[in-house]
């Protein structure tokens, strides 16, 4: 079966996936910089292995299933379910940097959304999330507010994540631009499978212990380009 997306919804998905979205995603490496410091990531091949593993372990099993769950809650205007999703995100961030990232990006995306939409019943619910809105939950709200279908939206979200982390690898490994594009090509090939796994998941699962360890090390790393 061929799926189509209306032009307006497609444009909104491209907008949400754009690196120009003013949420500060470019300033975070999500543990990649610490992996470079530890020697785990040192060249194009090891960077590809790292990013593909993160796509499978964190995006397909945790972030994207959580976005899908929060999107369903947003469509129902279910404040309690949205808060539960937000609580899950906050409780599964293992380092102060990853917690700061999800809160800062969540607040920034909500501010962006409020600047575009004068009134929508979801906005007050999003603003009430405590102690702070988180990135995956506000992303789900943005998808619902902009009227984009869920499955293509998850593809867009995964691509936005992949492009940001590819650019982080180019800067901190470092790699050339052509190597970065080869990395992105591998991630793009793997994204549809990650999205299908996320849609089939019964619940989000947060389990990436090495990422947590490297994230904690990054907090005291001597020389850093990124905020996580």
């Amino acid at each position: 079966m061929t799926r189509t997306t209306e032009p307006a919804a497609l444009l909104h998905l491209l907008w949400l996936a754009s690196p120009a979205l003013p949420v500060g995603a470019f300033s975070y490496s999500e543990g990649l910089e610490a992996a470079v410091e530890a020697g785990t990531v040192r060249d194009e091949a090891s960077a590809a292995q790292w990013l593909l593993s993160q796509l499978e372990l964190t995006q397909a099993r945790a972030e994207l299933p959580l976005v899908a769950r929060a999107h369903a809650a947003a469509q129902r205007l279910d404040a309690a379910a949205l808060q539960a999703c937000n609580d899950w995100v906050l409780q599964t961030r293992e380092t102060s940097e990853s917690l700061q990232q999800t809160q800062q990006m969540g607040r920034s995306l909500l501010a962006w959304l409020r600047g575009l939409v004068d009134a929508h019943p979801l906005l007050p619910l999003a603003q009430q999330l405590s102690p702070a809105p988180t990135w995956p939950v506000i992303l789900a709200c943005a998808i619902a507010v902009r009227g984009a279908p869920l499955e293509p939206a998850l593809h867009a979200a995964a691509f936005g994540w992949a492009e940001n982390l590819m650019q982080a690898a180019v800067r901190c490994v470092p790699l050339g631009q052509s190597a970065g594009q080869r990395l992105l090509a591998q991630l793009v090939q793997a994204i549809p499978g990650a999205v299908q796994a996320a849609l089939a998941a019964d619940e989000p699962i947060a389990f990436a212990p090495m990422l947590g360890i490297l994230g904690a090390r990054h907090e005291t790393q001597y020389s850093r380009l990124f905020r996580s």
Side-chain angles (χ1 to χ4, degrees), residues 67-87:
V67 172
R69 176 171 289 194
H71 181 262
Q75 289 189 311
R76 299 193 308 269
L77 298 177
D78 188 335
L82 279 175
Q83 183 63 57
C85 289
N86 204 67
D87 290 342

Side-chain angles (χ1 to χ4, degrees), residues 39-204:
T40 304
V41 176
R42 58 197 173 277
D43 53 21
E44 182 180 342
S46 55
Q49 183 178 9
W50 172 270
L51 293 178
L52 288 167
S53 294
Q54 291 309 107
L55 177 65
E56 177 184 355
L57 294 174
T58 65
Q59 295 298 307
R61 299 199 311 182
E63 299 297 294
L64 297 179
L66 191 281
V67 172
R69 176 171 289 194
H71 181 262
Q75 289 189 311
R76 299 193 308 269
L77 298 177
D78 188 335
L82 279 175
Q83 183 63 57
C85 289
N86 204 67
D87 290 342
W88 187 92
V89 176
L90 295 172
Q91 292 161 5
T92 56
R93 291 307 189 260
E94 296 180 307
T95 67
S96 62
E97 288 182 349
S98 61
L99 182 62
Q100 178 191 51
Q101 176 181 350
T102 197
Q103 291 177 320
Q104 180 267 303
M105 289 178 60
R107 286 192 296 265
S108 297
L109 185 61
L110 180 56
W112 171 84
L113 190 59
R114 291 175 61 192
L116 289 178
V117 181
D118 292 333
H120 190 283
L122 259 178
L123 292 180
L125 303 185
Q127 290 174 246
Q128 292 167 11
L129 292 170
S130 64
T134 60
W135 165 255
V137 174
I138 300 303
L139 178 60
C141 291
I143 293 166
V145 168
R146 305 311 281 171
L150 178 62
E151 185 173 342
L154 294 183
H155 282 86
F159 180 80
W161 170 86
E163 189 171 30
N164 275 316
L165 269 291
M166 176 275 288
Q167 292 174 341
V170 166
R171 282 179 279 170
C172 72
V173 174
L175 300 172
Q177 293 296 326
S178 295
Q181 290 301 304
R182 288 192 294 269
L183 285 182
L184 189 58
Q186 292 186 63
L187 289 165
V188 164
Q189 187 174 13
I191 282 173
V195 169
Q196 290 307 311
L199 290 170
D202 292 330
E203 61 182 2

